[in-house]
Amino acid sequence: MKDLLLITPPFTQLNTPYPATAYIKGFLNTKNISSYQIDLGLDVILALFSKNGIRKIFETEVNLQEISENSQRIYALREEYLKTIDQVIPFLQGKTPTLARQICSMNFLPEASRFNQLDDMDFAFGNMGLQDKAKHLATLYLEDISDYIIENIDADFGFSRYAERLGKSANSFDELYSKLSGDQTFIDHFTLQILKDKLELIQPKLVCFSVPFPGNLYAGFRCAQFIREHHPHIKTAMGGGFPNTELREVKDKRVFEFFDFITLDDGEVPLELLCKNVLNPSEDEAEFKRTFLIENQEVTYKNNSKKHDYKQADIGTPDYTDLKLDQYISVIEIANPMHSLWSDGRWNKLTMAHGCYWGKCTFCDISLDYIRIYEPISAKILVDRMEELIQTTGETGFHFVDEAAPPALMREVALEILRRNLVVTWWTNIRFEKSFTRDLCYLLKLSGCVAVSGGLEVASDRLLQLIDKGVSVEQVARVTRNFTEAGIMVHAYLMYGYPTQTVQETVDSLEMVRQMFEMGILQSGFWHQFAMTAHSPVGINPEKFGVTPVTEEILFANNDIDFKDKTGIDHSKFSFGLKKSLFNYMHGINFEFPLQQWFDFKIPRTTVHPDYIHDCLLDDAQFTFKGNSKLVFLTKNVIAENRVKNKKKYSGAYTLLTFHLKTNIVKIDLEQDKAEWLMGVLEENSIENPKKLTAQQLKNQFEENFEDFELFWFSKPMQQLKDNGVILSL
């Protein structure tokens, strides 16, 4: 029995929990409020994709004469699906890795239309490992079953979303309300049976739904409806990404036939006050923080509490207790290396900083608190939380879910990880800041960073300036080169159709992207068409950006806004060609194709010089001295040998310093006194020393004993140490 039940409705990810309820549970722990959390999406998927669930799918009546040939084949092979499903799911959960050989034999899984793409698999995946190939085949198998469900049983089904169209840009509640007034769907029966069992077990007083996306909305409402009908004494609340962005202007009273409360933005204080009002009601006027409810028969927004939001350092460590961490499913859907990070393997989710330190991009919801209020967490607290999560979950993989992780904080987190000798794997979202030097990228790699994603958006300097991105194409090229050379995978978010974007700029943007992939400084990317949102600078001042919004009365959701661009260009026609070209570039082929080949309509020639990106990477100021840069000395494994040279041109004593690095050996010769001085510096300023020496301080120390620091600092032996990461300048 718990006071609160925290629910993520179907569906988000299959491979790892969406972190919102874990964040909230961690906070509630600090307030001694008892709670239980469930990922209802995972529970439904596991119930559906089981022998019993598959049997129910095939027991649902269909007219074999009217269904597609693909569905007829799946139905004909139903016994094979029943036979194999309870082997495939444990394999995708990582419990039976030996099944990979059976799956890869190509005579184990029943195959329908999804397997037609196997002709391209060697091209797409190359010589992928046995386990990954088997995961991909098992994913196709599940997608075949999904296709059957969508065609014949429940058209709204999707692995990572359900009835998404009902939540997208739904200015009116009518369509969703009509759906909720109708019969329960096939998937609803699974969802509500699991919910019923959990309610009887937990007996909560308040059920809180975290609804991050439009694809969770319908299921959240259906569950709240069930609670209202069968457990009217239980209060229900909704928070999360969807209401935070879409329901800020909700006016339709019918919404509150399902939910008692809708909270906005950071959920800690609103939920703490809801708990107080529901669990310990008093006769005094109830206090609320950023909460919609029904008062005097009207939808009312209550924000009458003076209680401030909590600092990020005080909200506790995310708590994944109750979630079935060993039952999540790793899938490999498409040949995109970054997308595989999203869907393959389980990640602990953490946040380095609340909000965005840049907060200027004109397409972004920068007027909302989740972006606008920037608050970093100290590196020590972050790594403390990482260690705590490793202890409680057994997982050492971390996805920092920042809007844009701050480079300075990433540096401090990396140093803290190295100081504690932690072995972790992590990735995050960034801005392509010039702060990401070769040395910083190398440090991040040493600490366990394997990938970064960032917005290149429209690869055009005019449009990047209009977006107020704060970067140029040249800068992005250098930063992606630095990450790539450090061994960190780079994924670029790419945009087309930004207001006032011309056809020429779209073509030139594609050429920039082509050159970056050809130079090997991008490994992954994804094109998406610009969408105007109500809370972005473009949405707030559309006339400034040359667009005319198509406005409707807002009674329910308000985020995506239809608009007309003054250019009159139909940008959607570029979608297929941009994505097809990118698929080829990600696999390192067809760079020589003229851009026209990707499109079935006439496009202008690019105006970008064919060596533009190549030339961007040439200008590198290796021999500039920056006195305020912090120095990090990364090795203790040094052997010093005093020797004597006897040559015609030079003879005398010197010291051979041998640095044993993980993968190679670096040897340098220095004069004995300078070698002795350098050894002292390395000893005093090891990675364990939290106080970092600046380049100017090092210069001052050197010049107390010797002359001409620059000659020493930029000498060939010291350059060798810097090139091999023994000395990093941050």
Side-chain angles (χ1 to χ4, degrees):
M1 191 171 180
K2 302 285 184 180
D3 290 329
L4 268 69
L5 177 59
L6 310 172
I7 297 178
T8 305
F11 293 107
T12 49
Q13 291 172 264
L14 294 178
N15 66 307
T16 200
Y18 193 78
T21 61
Y23 276 48
I24 289 295
K25 185 174 175 68
F27 164 74
L28 294 172
N29 292 344
T30 69
K31 299 297 172 185
N32 294 316
I33 298 172
S34 64
S35 64
Y36 190 95
Q37 62 183 325
I38 58 172
D39 181 349
L40 199 47
L42 176 69
D43 289 341
V44 171
I45 289 292
L46 294 179
L48 183 62
F49 289 91
S50 65
K51 184 173 284 190
N52 187 46
I54 297 294
R55 184 175 285 110
K56 287 180 179 177
I57 289 170
F58 290 121
E59 284 173 354
T60 302
E61 191 173 333
V62 294
N63 187 331
L64 291 173
Q65 308 304 316
E66 295 180 2
I67 64 177
S68 68
E69 187 178 333
N70 187 55
S71 286
Q72 288 177 14
R73 174 171 173 75
I74 293 171
Y75 185 82
L77 291 169
R78 60 192 180 280
E79 289 301 324
E80 291 299 322
Y81 287 101
L82 284 166
K83 177 182 174 183
T84 51
I85 190 66
D86 283 348
Q87 280 71 48
V88 169
I89 294 299
F91 169 74
L92 291 174
Q93 291 170 330
K95 296 175 180 176
T96 54
T98 52
L99 192 69
R101 294 183 183 278
Q102 273 267 64
I103 292 173
C104 291
S105 71
M106 307 304 291
N107 194 28
F108 177 69
L109 298 178
E111 299 178 9
S113 64
R114 292 284 182 156
F115 284 76
N116 293 342
Q117 61 190 271
L118 280 178
D119 291 342
D120 298 328
M121 193 167 76
D122 288 339
F123 158 68
F125 289 96
N127 296 316
M128 67 192 305
L130 188 74
Q131 292 292 323
D132 282 353
K133 184 176 180 181
K135 281 182 189 176
H136 179 58
L137 294 170
T139 303
L140 298 179
Y141 161 92
L142 293 183
E143 288 177 336
D144 274 335
I145 302 173
S146 171
D147 290 343
Y148 183 89
I149 295 170
I150 292 167
E151 181 185 339
N152 305 298
I153 299 172
D154 194 335
D156 288 321
F157 178 72
F159 281 115
S160 58
R161 59 190 62 84
Y162 186 82
E164 184 179 48
R165 63 183 180 79
L166 295 174
K168 275 193 167 181
S169 305
N171 300 142
S172 166
F173 188 51
D174 289 349
E175 189 178 1
L176 180 55
Y177 189 75
S178 175
K179 174 89 170 173
L180 292 164
S181 301
D183 294 337
Q184 293 176 6
T185 68
F186 180 78
I187 301 298
D188 287 343
H189 291 297
F190 286 86
T191 303
L192 298 179
Q193 181 59 51
I194 295 166
L195 176 64
K196 177 177 178 290
D197 294 343
K198 290 294 183 184
L199 290 171
E200 290 173 1
L201 176 68
I202 308 303
Q203 298 180 36
K205 299 179 180 70
L206 173 63
V207 178
C208 303
F209 293 87
S210 175
V211 179
F213 308 118
N216 303 91
L217 187 68
Y218 166 80
F221 268 88
R222 184 61 94 181
C223 290
Q225 180 186 52
F226 178 87
I227 294 170
R228 182 67 63 91
E229 288 176 3
H230 298 278
H231 303 273
H233 62 285
I234 298 177
K235 298 295 184 184
T236 55
M238 172 168 55
F242 183 86
N244 290 349
T245 52
E246 307 260 1
L247 299 184
R248 306 186 76 87
E249 301 170 53
V250 62
K251 298 183 181 71
D252 197 319
K253 286 196 291 187
R254 293 175 298 173
V255 171
F256 295 88
E257 293 174 19
F258 303 85
F259 290 99
D260 295 290
F261 312 102
I262 295 175
T263 67
L264 301 181
D265 302 324
D266 290 353
E268 288 83 11
V269 175
L271 191 51
E272 184 181 11
L273 293 172
L274 285 187
C275 289
K276 181 180 176 184
N277 295 331
V278 172
L279 305 180
N280 302 297
S282 72
E283 294 180 3
D284 299 330
E285 183 188 0
E287 288 189 5
F288 295 93
K289 189 87 168 176
R290 298 188 299 270
T291 301
F292 284 104
L293 47 83
I294 291 290
E295 192 171 77
N296 300 323
Q297 305 301 310
E298 295 297 330
V299 178
T300 306
Y301 180 67
K302 299 279 283 192
N303 195 23
N304 61 339
S305 172
K306 295 180 181 178
K307 193 174 180 67
H308 293 294
D309 284 307
Y310 288 95
K311 295 291 183 185
Q312 293 300 297
D314 300 325
I315 60 174
T317 302
D319 183 352
Y320 287 90
T321 307
D322 313 323
L323 297 175
K324 302 171 181 176
L325 299 182
D326 62 339
Q327 295 188 36
Y328 282 87
I329 299 167
S330 283
V331 294
I332 298 180
E333 300 170 70
I334 57 173
N336 180 312
M338 195 69 186
H339 288 183
S340 75
L341 278 181
W342 281 96
S343 60
D344 184 18
R346 218 197 63 67
W347 302 94
N348 291 320
K349 310 270 187 173
L350 280 174
T351 308
M352 289 194 186
H354 181 286
C356 179
Y357 67 93
W358 179 249
K360 296 179 184 178
C361 297
T362 54
F363 62 80
C364 189
D365 293 340
I366 60 175
S367 65
L368 299 183
D369 285 357
Y370 83 95
I371 301 279
R372 184 175 61 84
I373 298 175
Y374 172 66
E375 185 195 341
I377 308 171
S378 77
K380 183 182 182 305
I381 291 175
L382 271 169
V383 183
D384 283 346
R385 289 178 179 174
M386 291 174 79
E387 290 200 285
E388 193 175 331
L389 284 171
I390 291 169
Q391 288 295 318
T392 56
T393 69
E395 299 284 353
T396 57
F398 292 86
H399 174 199
F400 290 99
V401 293
D402 292 62
E403 300 300 321
L409 182 52
M410 290 173 71
R411 178 191 68 202
E412 294 308 311
V413 167
L415 289 169
E416 190 68 20
I417 288 170
L418 292 169
R419 273 189 213 110
R420 300 192 194 188
N421 268 324
L422 282 185
V423 178
V424 293
T425 304
W426 62 275
W427 55 292
T428 190
N429 194 51
I430 62 161
R431 292 181 65 250
F432 291 118
E433 290 273 11
K434 62 184 178 183
S435 313
F436 289 111
T437 61
R438 288 176 192 245
D439 283 6
L440 177 54
C441 292
Y442 183 68
L443 176 74
L444 298 176
K445 174 64 177 176
L446 289 177
S447 72
C449 180
V450 293
V452 293
S453 57
L456 172 54
E457 317 307 352
V458 182
S460 151
D461 284 338
R462 180 189 80 84
L463 289 165
L464 284 172
Q465 200 167 1
L466 192 61
I467 290 170
D468 204 358
K469 191 71 185 174
V471 300
S472 64
V473 175
E474 180 178 359
Q475 180 177 310
V476 172
R478 290 181 179 176
V479 169
T480 55
R481 183 269 316 273
N482 293 344
F483 276 112
T484 299
E485 289 185 350
I488 295 173
M489 181 175 68
V490 184
H491 173 88
Y493 296 110
L494 304 165
M495 183 190 295
Y496 61 101
Y498 190 80
T500 73
Q501 183 173 352
T502 65
V503 170
Q504 185 67 62
E505 284 171 324
T506 301
V507 172
D508 288 349
S509 183
L510 173 57
E511 172 61 15
M512 293 284 201
V513 171
R514 185 195 71 79
Q515 290 187 27
M516 293 176 83
F517 274 99
E518 188 173 31
M519 290 294 296
I521 57 177
L522 273 184
Q523 293 75 52
S524 177
F526 186 79
W527 286 101
H528 65 276
Q529 188 168 350
F530 167 78
M532 186 166 82
T533 62
H535 313 292
S536 67
V538 179
I540 293 168
N541 296 301
E543 62 287 340
K544 180 180 172 183
F545 295 88
V547 296
T548 304
V550 179
T551 55
E552 294 185 27
E553 185 184 10
I554 307 300
L555 294 174
F556 184 53
N558 181 31
N559 193 31
D560 287 3
I561 302 173
D562 286 337
F563 65 93
K564 293 178 181 175
D565 188 338
K566 69 179 183 182
T567 63
I569 298 168
D570 176 13
H571 294 285
S572 62
K573 67 182 181 180
F574 288 94
S575 177
F576 181 78
L578 290 173
K579 291 173 182 176
K580 185 177 180 183
S581 63
L582 186 64
F583 182 82
N584 282 262
Y585 299 158
M586 278 197 293
H587 294 101
I589 61 170
N590 296 332
F591 294 116
E592 72 283 1
F593 281 16
L595 300 185
Q596 177 64 67
Q597 190 145 338
W598 304 116
F599 302 95
D600 57 6
F601 55 91
K602 189 71 176 168
I603 62 167
R605 289 178 179 273
T606 181
T607 62
V608 178
H609 189 279
D611 291 327
Y612 180 82
I613 297 297
H614 173 272
D615 294 346
C616 286
L617 304 178
L618 293 177
D619 180 26
D620 240 349
Q622 278 193 340
F623 300 103
T624 54
F625 178 75
K626 295 180 180 176
N628 62 348
S629 60
K630 294 183 177 181
L631 302 179
V632 174
F633 302 91
L634 281 175
T635 186
K636 302 174 191 172
N637 305 314
V638 191
I639 298 170
E641 300 174 71
N642 291 327
R643 297 189 174 187
V644 177
K645 271 185 183 173
N646 292 306
K647 292 187 177 179
K648 290 181 182 178
K649 290 185 179 179
Y650 174 79
S651 63
Y654 74 98
T655 300
L656 172 66
L657 295 179
T658 303
F659 294 80
H660 287 272
L661 309 181
K662 274 186 186 178
T663 55
N664 66 325
I665 298 171
V666 179
K667 297 187 177 189
I668 63 168
D669 294 348
L670 287 178
E671 296 165 46
Q672 283 186 3
D673 51 355
K674 288 179 181 172
E676 191 175 324
W677 174 84
L678 181 60
M679 292 286 283
V681 169
L682 293 173
E683 186 65 34
E684 289 173 21
N685 297 279
S686 67
I687 190 74
E688 285 78 14
N689 187 347
K691 192 173 181 181
K692 291 287 160 278
L693 198 66
T694 67
Q696 186 61 49
Q697 288 170 330
L698 185 71
K699 178 180 179 181
N700 295 342
Q701 286 184 19
F702 182 89
E703 290 178 347
E704 289 173 8
N705 303 282
F706 312 102
E707 294 180 356
D708 207 338
F709 173 77
E710 278 79 2
L711 189 64
F712 170 77
W713 188 240
F714 295 113
S715 65
K716 187 176 179 181
M718 294 304 291
Q719 203 61 38
Q720 270 185 276
L721 296 186
K722 288 183 273 186
D723 288 345
N724 283 279
V726 176
I727 300 174
L728 300 181
S729 181
L730 305 172

